[in-house]
């Protein structure tokens, strides 16, 4: 490892006639390699140094330099890259890549392509000495499960942003602001985590999301302005316990293609604005964890599905199902929905209920649209007290799996089976009597009330054939 100093003013990077072992010293030293630190300073002379071949120094420091530095090829460092305000930097159409822990200082200069890459080295830290602007492509790359820590100041992306693959984690105190005036694309990767603030402030063209953005870390994803397209590249926004708590703010009203909430540990997502999903909304967990979603509404306009793990989705947010096309909601018979409310308000076509949907949501409300619970023999499992206003829905099965009070705000129709689990006390209350008009059990299935039942209205078994048994009172 050695120090190399630029001397002699204007010249090409690979010319030994411009490299010295000392500041202002004699030329003839070797060109800086991967173990050598390169310096440009007040003794480097006037004119412009040009990177005419791919350069791979350990680091480059321009402190005290007032000349020019032009990229005619890519430059890759294993450490810091420090520009200063008094120099001229011309990146042309070439890239600066930092491949190891170091400091990046722009000196107020803009980059064309910039890559912050761990290069598979494990844990690295990139520190911004000041704000950095990238005009074409900004890449964050890890490799082999690397942890990339980004500290200080802000990256301003005028072009595309790409997060690398291989189960990497990108986190820290740095901010990313996407504020180009033309088309931009931000691409995430399904196995990598993004845990620093992102603000989309698109000033023109279209801002495209692509891939999967796994977001969290206690940070905020903020959509401040622009025309946002998540559909062209079938993008997914995923809030993830492995990434940590997250906050979502949307001043534009983005419709996401896919949205996922993935527990794998307790975490909280705060929605400062509604989040809308047009294609696939998924909730997954890992054996008994609780994901809390607070704030504004989750609006589902496509499919809804959940995992087969015994997780709970809770919080103050509401789930609104209002797609104009056919939708299917498939339950996995394990995860429990505990939103503040669930509203079905479709503008057209049919919502198909499938599998087993478990709920202890405070209020279920049906407003509009066709709901088909029979084609896929759906079961609604009620695990806690709720208010049910579902006049217009013919439920296929309803099961009470734990003690609760079901307050009816309208008539309730069940076409197959209403069942009470053993040793469960279920109270139906509300202004509507449970009768053959408002509460019907139709079909030929067996209807069993295997625990105690208390009814504040009338409870009749009209239109029931086959076996019937009531245990309790």
């Amino acid at each position: 490892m050695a120090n190399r100093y630029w001397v002699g003013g204007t010249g090409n990077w690979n010319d030994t006639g411009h490299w010295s072992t000392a500041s202002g010293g004699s030329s003839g030293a070797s060109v800086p390699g991967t173990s050598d630190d390169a310096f440009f300073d007040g003794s480097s002379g006037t004119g412009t140094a040009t990177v005419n071949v791919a350069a791979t120094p350990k680091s480059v420091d321009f402190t005290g330099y007032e000349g020019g530095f032009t990229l005619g090829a890519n430059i890759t460092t294993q450490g810091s890259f420090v520009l200063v305000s008094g120099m001229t930097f011309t990146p042309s159409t070439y890239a600066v890549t930092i491949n190891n822990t170091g400091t990046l200082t722009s000196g107020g200069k803009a980059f064309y392509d910039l890559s912050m890459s761990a290069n598979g080295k494990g844990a690295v830290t990139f520190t911004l000495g000041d704000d950095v602007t990238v005009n074409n492509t900004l890449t964050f790359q890890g490799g082999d499960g690397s942890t990339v820590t980004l500290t200080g100041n802000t990256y301003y992306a005028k072009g595309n942003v790409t997060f690398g693959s291989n189960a990497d984690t990108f986190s820290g105190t740095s901010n990313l602001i996407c504020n180009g005036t033309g088309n931009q694309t931000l691409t995430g990767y399904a196995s990598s985590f993004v845990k620093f603030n992102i603000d989309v402030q698109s000033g023109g063209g279209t801002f495209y999301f692509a891939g999967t953005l796994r977001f969290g870390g206690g940070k905020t994803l903020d959509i401040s302005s622009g025309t946002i397209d998540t559909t062209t590249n079938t993008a997914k926004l995923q809030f993830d316990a492995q990434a940590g708590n997250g906050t979502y703010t949307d001043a534009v009203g983005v419709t996401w293609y896919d949205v996922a909430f993935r527990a794998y540990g307790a975490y909280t997502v705060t929605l400062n604005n509604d989040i809308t999903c047009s294609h696939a909304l998924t909730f997954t967990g890992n054996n008994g964890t609780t994901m809390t979603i607070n704030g504004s509404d989750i609006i589902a306009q496509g499919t809804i599905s959940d995992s087969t793990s015994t997780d709970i989705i809770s919080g103050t947010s509401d789930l609104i199902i209002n797609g104009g096309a056919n939708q299917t909601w498939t339950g996995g018979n394990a995860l429990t929905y505990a939103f503040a409310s669930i509203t079905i308000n479709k503008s057209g076509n049919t919502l198909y209920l499938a599998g087993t949907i478990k709920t202890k949501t405070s209020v279920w409300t049906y407003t509009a649209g066709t709901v088909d619970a029979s084609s896929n023999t759906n079961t609604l499992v009620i695990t806690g007290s709720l208010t049910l206003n579902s006049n217009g829905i013919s439920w296929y099965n309803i099961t009470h799996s734990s003690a609760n009070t079901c307050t009816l705000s309208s008539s309730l129709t069940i076409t197959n089976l209403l069942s009470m689990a053993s040793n469960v006390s279920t109270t139906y209350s509300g202004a509507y009597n449970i009768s053959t008009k408002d509460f019907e059990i139709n079909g030929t299935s067996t209807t069993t009330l295997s625990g105690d039942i208390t009814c504040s209205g009338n409870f009749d078994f009209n239109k029931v054939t086959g076996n019937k048994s009531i245990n309790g009172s």
Side-chain angles (χ1 to χ4, degrees):
M1 182 175 68
N3 293 339
R4 291 291 181 264
Y5 294 83
W6 184 263
V7 294
T10 298
N12 290 326
W13 179 274
N14 68 344
D15 185 353
T16 58
H18 287 280
W19 291 108
S20 175
T21 59
S23 175
S26 300
S27 62
S30 60
V31 176
T34 56
S35 298
D36 303 320
D37 297 308
F39 295 91
F40 293 75
D41 60 16
S43 299
S44 293
T46 59
T48 299
T50 300
V51 178
N52 62 317
V53 295
T56 58
K58 180 182 178 184
S59 68
V60 186
D61 190 332
F62 293 90
T63 301
Y65 184 59
E66 295 183 351
F69 188 70
T70 296
L71 298 185
N74 296 331
I75 184 167
T76 301
T77 73
Q78 301 301 313
S80 297
F81 190 84
V82 178
L83 301 172
V84 294
S85 60
M87 64 177 290
T88 300
F89 175 58
T90 306
S92 305
T93 57
Y94 297 97
V96 174
T97 299
I98 300 180
N99 262 349
N100 208 338
T101 293
T103 297
L104 174 64
T105 302
S106 73
K109 319 302 179 188
F111 295 83
Y112 182 74
D113 287 344
L114 175 65
S115 178
M116 311 299 285
S117 174
N119 200 29
K121 293 181 176 66
V124 301
T125 299
F126 298 124
T127 301
L128 290 186
D130 58 6
D131 293 341
V132 168
T133 297
V134 182
N135 287 327
N136 188 53
T137 300
L138 171 61
T139 301
F140 299 97
Q141 182 69 47
D144 301 325
S146 297
T147 299
V148 179
T149 302
L150 306 163
T151 63
N153 292 292
T154 299
Y155 295 87
Y156 288 91
K158 304 291 187 181
N160 299 329
V161 179
T162 300
F163 293 97
S165 58
N166 299 317
D168 305 311
T169 299
F170 306 97
S171 65
T173 60
S174 294
N175 302 308
L176 170 62
I177 295 179
C178 303
N179 63 344
T181 57
N183 291 345
Q184 295 180 259
T185 300
L186 186 151
T187 303
Y189 193 80
S191 67
S192 295
F193 304 101
V194 178
K195 303 195 293 186
F196 61 97
N197 294 324
I198 299 176
D199 190 354
V200 177
Q201 301 177 4
S202 178
T206 299
F207 191 94
Y208 297 91
F209 282 92
T212 298
L213 179 61
R214 295 179 74 179
F215 188 79
K219 304 300 182 179
T220 299
L221 173 61
D222 193 344
I223 313 295
S224 295
S225 61
T227 300
I228 312 299
D229 183 336
T230 70
T231 302
T232 297
N233 299 303
T234 61
K236 177 190 283 188
L237 173 61
Q238 181 166 308
F239 294 97
D240 200 307
Q242 289 175 288
N245 300 338
T247 298
Y248 178 74
T249 300
D250 178 9
V252 175
V254 176
T255 297
W256 288 90
Y257 185 74
D258 287 342
V259 175
F261 295 90
R262 189 170 182 264
Y264 283 76
Y267 79 117
T268 300
V269 174
T270 301
L271 302 179
N272 290 329
N273 300 97
D274 294 347
I275 187 166
T276 301
C277 177
S278 66
H279 181 249
L281 173 64
T282 57
F283 301 93
T284 57
N286 186 25
N287 298 325
T289 56
T290 298
M291 60 183 101
T292 303
I293 306 173
N294 289 330
S296 297
D297 299 337
I298 302 168
I299 300 174
Q301 298 178 340
T303 63
I304 306 170
S305 63
D306 58 68
S307 68
T308 56
S309 298
T310 55
D311 308 290
I312 298 174
I313 311 167
S314 65
T316 61
S317 291
D318 302 320
L319 174 62
I320 298 175
I321 304 168
N322 67 353
N326 287 338
Q327 296 178 257
T328 299
W329 182 358
T330 304
N333 192 26
L335 183 145
T336 299
Y337 294 90
F339 289 113
S341 71
I342 295 176
T343 299
I344 299 170
N345 186 21
K346 287 184 59 60
S347 58
N349 287 290
T350 300
L351 171 65
Y352 294 92
L353 302 179
T356 299
I357 298 171
K358 300 180 71 173
T359 183
K360 58 179 181 179
T361 289
S362 298
V363 180
W364 275 68
T365 301
Y366 167 81
T367 302
T370 300
V371 179
D372 183 341
S374 298
S375 293
N376 298 300
T377 61
N378 167 253
T379 297
L380 179 70
V381 177
I382 298 174
T383 66
S385 297
L386 53 72
T387 296
L388 194 57
N389 182 7
S390 62
N391 186 26
I393 299 177
S394 294
W395 299 97
Y396 187 70
N397 293 325
I398 290 183
T399 298
H400 292 269
S401 66
S402 60
N404 58 73
T405 296
C406 182
T407 301
L408 296 180
S409 296
S410 64
S411 61
L412 179 65
T413 302
I414 302 168
T415 62
N416 191 50
L417 175 65
L418 171 64
S419 63
M420 313 295 171
S422 298
N423 301 316
V424 166
S425 177
T426 298
T427 300
Y428 273 91
S429 66
Y432 289 82
N433 293 330
I434 299 173
S435 66
T436 56
K437 177 181 180 181
D438 298 321
F439 189 93
E440 294 181 349
I441 303 175
N442 300 309
T444 60
S445 299
T446 299
T447 301
T448 302
L449 303 178
S450 56
D452 294 335
I453 181 166
T454 302
C455 302
S456 60
N458 297 317
F459 197 100
D460 298 319
F461 282 101
N462 292 335
K463 301 186 179 180
V464 176
T465 61
N467 296 327
K468 304 177 288 295
S469 60
I470 303 176
N471 299 323
S473 57

